[in-house]
Amino acid sequence: MNKKVLSILLAASVTLLSACNKDDDSKIKVAINTGPDQTLWDTVKQVAHDKYHLDVDVVAFNDYVQPNEALFNKDVDANAFQSLPYLEMQSKERGYHFAVITNTFVFPIAGYSRKIKSLDALPDGATITISNEATTLGRSLLLLQAQGLIKVKPEAGLLPTTLDVTDNPKKLKFVEVDTPQLARTLDDPQVYVSIINNNFAALANLSASRDGMFMEGKASPYVNAIVAREDNKDSPNIQKLKEAFRSQEVLDKANEIYKGDIIKGW
């Protein structure tokens, strides 16, 4: 092979590698939860592409463990599914070193029933289903406390358990259930109320403001966030993702999808 041909091949290889690197540099992978968020992220992807020349690949999971594991293992570059208290708890338990890129929304949890229209009709000894995931469980108990149904130990903070219930005048029974299954318990003859997360309620065609007997308010500390790792939090693509999410187009789409059930967090 003469030197001229070799030089041409080397130049072509460098050009090809540069093109590949440029292509890779314009992509980012984000883990989310299944549900209406998938539709919202279609808008995020469009804004990111049109305004920031960023291609967003979205991976949806049906639980609250895999998105953080995927981020930790560098299978994704960011995730957007969890509240700040949940992030704090998971970081302590699993040793994650993640960084909050931006708050997104408060997705209010609410109490639903197919047997009663108001808590005035809730009988003594009634069964209430709540999430068995620690953060959502605590969030549910605090919501029930806000309705005057129970009292929990103040020192339990944002993570009370049923063992922290100090007053239960109606002798309510609490059954802990996998979060994605909560909506199904509404058809159980023994269940009077279920406290359900916004995204899983939406999958069952339930709206907190329309169908819930009671729901969290604007003062809720359970704002969700886009999260990255400490080692990539300052990357240009992460910053572009933040700006795309905080666009007016995404806010408008979120209000359309969630029909007023969201509270802007940034």
Side-chain angles (χ1 to χ4, degrees):
M1 183 181 295
N2 62 45
K3 291 183 179 180
K4 184 176 181 180
V5 173
L6 180 60
S7 298
I8 292 172
L9 289 174
L10 287 172
S13 298
V14 170
T15 301
L16 180 60
L17 286 171
S18 298
C20 288
N21 288 335
K22 185 177 180 181
D23 184 58
D24 289 342
D25 286 346
S26 69
K27 293 181 178 180
I28 191 170
K29 186 175 288 188
V30 183
I32 67 169
N33 268 161
T34 53
D37 262 8
Q38 291 172 271
T39 303
L40 178 64
W41 276 84
D42 286 341
T43 300
V44 178
K45 289 167 64 174
Q46 191 65 51
V47 172
H49 181 270
D50 294 347
K51 288 189 174 181
Y52 302 100
H53 310 292
L54 179 67
D55 291 327
V56 180
D57 181 13
V58 174
V59 183
F61 294 96
N62 195 39
D63 67 15
Y64 289 154
V65 175
Q66 293 185 75
N68 275 337
E69 281 295 291
L71 181 59
F72 178 75
N73 293 325
K74 298 187 178 182
D75 295 325
V76 299
D77 304 296
N79 66 42
F81 77 102
Q82 63 195 318
S83 69
L84 295 183
Y86 181 80
L87 170 62
E88 181 180 357
M89 181 195 71
Q90 287 289 290
S91 296
K92 288 179 180 178
E93 289 184 356
R94 297 173 181 264
Y96 297 140
H97 296 287
F98 295 157
V100 173
I101 303 306
T102 180
N103 292 345
T104 58
F105 302 104
V106 175
F107 295 94
I109 62 172
Y112 300 88
S113 178
R114 292 201 173 122
K115 297 177 178 63
I116 58 176
K117 298 296 184 182
S118 75
L119 288 177
D120 292 336
L122 185 67
D124 289 353
T127 295
I128 296 179
T129 52
I130 57 178
S131 171
N132 61 6
E133 182 275 308
T135 305
T136 310
L137 186 155
R139 188 177 181 181
S140 301
L141 292 175
L142 292 175
L143 180 59
L144 290 168
Q145 177 174 251
Q147 311 312 308
L149 292 174
I150 60 173
K151 289 183 181 179
V152 299
K153 295 177 183 177
E155 56 267 31
L158 296 176
L159 295 172
T161 70
T162 52
L163 297 177
D164 296 310
V165 175
T166 58
D167 191 24
N168 182 7
K170 295 184 75 70
K171 295 181 172 55
L172 301 172
K173 300 172 184 175
F174 301 108
V175 176
E176 298 177 22
V177 177
D178 288 343
T179 309
Q181 306 303 318
L182 283 167
R184 294 184 180 183
T185 68
L186 290 172
D187 294 322
D188 189 310
Q190 303 300 317
V191 175
Y192 275 82
V193 178
S194 184
I195 312 298
I196 308 175
N197 303 59
N198 185 293
N199 56 328
F200 291 112
L203 288 173
N205 197 31
L206 296 170
S207 160
S209 59
R210 183 192 67 212
D211 305 305
M213 287 193 296
F214 52 92
M215 62 183 283
E216 286 177 318
K218 293 183 178 180
S220 171
Y222 295 93
V223 63
N224 279 28
I226 294 177
V227 175
R229 295 183 304 276
E230 285 289 343
D231 65 10
N232 72 338
K233 66 180 181 181
D234 297 319
S235 73
N237 284 352
I238 290 291
Q239 298 308 310
K240 289 176 184 178
L241 180 71
K242 177 178 76 173
E243 295 305 316
F245 190 93
R246 289 164 51 145
S247 66
Q248 188 63 44
E249 294 94 327
V250 171
L251 179 58
D252 290 344
K253 189 64 175 180
N255 281 315
E256 174 191 327
I257 294 170
Y258 289 100
K259 299 177 175 60
D261 283 353
I262 60 165
I263 301 167
K264 179 183 172 183
W266 69 90

